[in-house]
Amino acid sequence: MSDQTANSNKKQKQRDPDLAAAEIAMKRAAERARERAKRIGAGVMVLKDDRIVEEK
């Protein structure tokens, strides 16, 4: 394997720090939404097994 190919593979495997931070923020927001819904007795709509369902 050439050095150029090895460097190319490393770049593909590295995650963009902004995208990693965005994923963390989205998970945190989803958890807060579930907590708020639980407090008021509502459900949260989620995609599960290619179907939109209410999660309570």
Side-chain angles (χ1 to χ4, degrees), residues 21-52:
E23 182 180 351
I24 293 167
M26 292 294 287
K27 288 180 179 182
R28 185 174 52 239
E31 185 59 35
R32 288 181 181 167
R34 286 181 176 91
E35 289 170 2
R36 288 178 183 161
K38 187 175 180 178
R39 275 196 304 255
I40 64 169
V44 177
M45 303 308 285
V46 296
L47 184 64
K48 192 176 274 187
D49 298 326
D50 294 328
R51 300 182 82 180
I52 298 173

